[in-house]
């Protein structure tokens, strides 16, 4: 699935990245490239944990609102076709925290 990420320049230096469809999923980086890479990793973990808890994964476009349109757009491509064994192991890890 391809999600829209929005990057904004921080005061001083670096960038903040958010994915409007994945509330609470944020990343930062010193450059645009670093922020996109970190967002890719953060979004993957975010979606993986939703799946591991049997929670619905928002579809791309569900959280897009006009306010999110200000910034640098980037595409985050996530492979969420996870097998059941991987999900089972991840659920066990979450339960043992």
């Amino acid at each position: 699935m391809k999600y829209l990420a929005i990057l904004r320049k921080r005061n001083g230096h670096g960038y903040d990245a958010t994915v409007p469809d994945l509330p609470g999923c944020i990343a930062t980086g010193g450059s645009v490239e670093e922020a996109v890479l970190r967002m890719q990793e953060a979004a993957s973990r975010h979606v993986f944990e939703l799946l591991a808890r049997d929670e619905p994964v928002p579809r791309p476009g569900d959280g897009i609102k006009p306010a999110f349109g200000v910034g640098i757009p980037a595409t985050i491509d996530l492979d969420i076709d996870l097998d059941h064994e991987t999900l089972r192991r991840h659920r066990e890890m979450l339960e043992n925290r």
Side-chain angles (χ1 to χ4, degrees):
M1 289 188 178
K2 293 183 187 289
Y3 288 89
L4 173 67
I6 302 295
L7 287 77
R8 292 184 180 84
K9 183 90 170 136
R10 290 188 294 178
N11 291 338
H13 67 283
Y15 293 85
D16 293 325
T18 59
V19 175
D21 294 316
L22 303 173
C25 186
I26 60 170
T28 62
S31 66
V32 169
E33 294 80 11
E34 183 181 25
V36 169
L37 178 63
R38 288 184 173 178
M39 177 47 72
Q40 178 80 34
E41 295 165 354
S44 292
R45 282 191 309 273
H46 187 89
V47 168
F48 195 72
E49 290 198 14
L50 288 173
L51 290 168
R53 292 190 305 252
D54 289 327
E55 294 181 21
V57 176
R59 294 176 309 178
D62 284 351
I64 304 297
K65 295 179 176 54
F68 285 107
V70 179
I72 302 166
T75 300
I76 305 298
D77 193 8
L78 303 181
D79 178 12
I80 62 167
D81 185 24
L82 303 173
D83 63 81
H84 293 291
E85 180 61 20
T86 302
L87 289 174
R88 184 194 62 74
R89 284 195 314 269
H90 195 67
R91 279 189 194 106
E92 288 175 1
M93 287 181 357
L94 288 174
E95 290 169 2
N96 293 327
R97 282 188 186 176

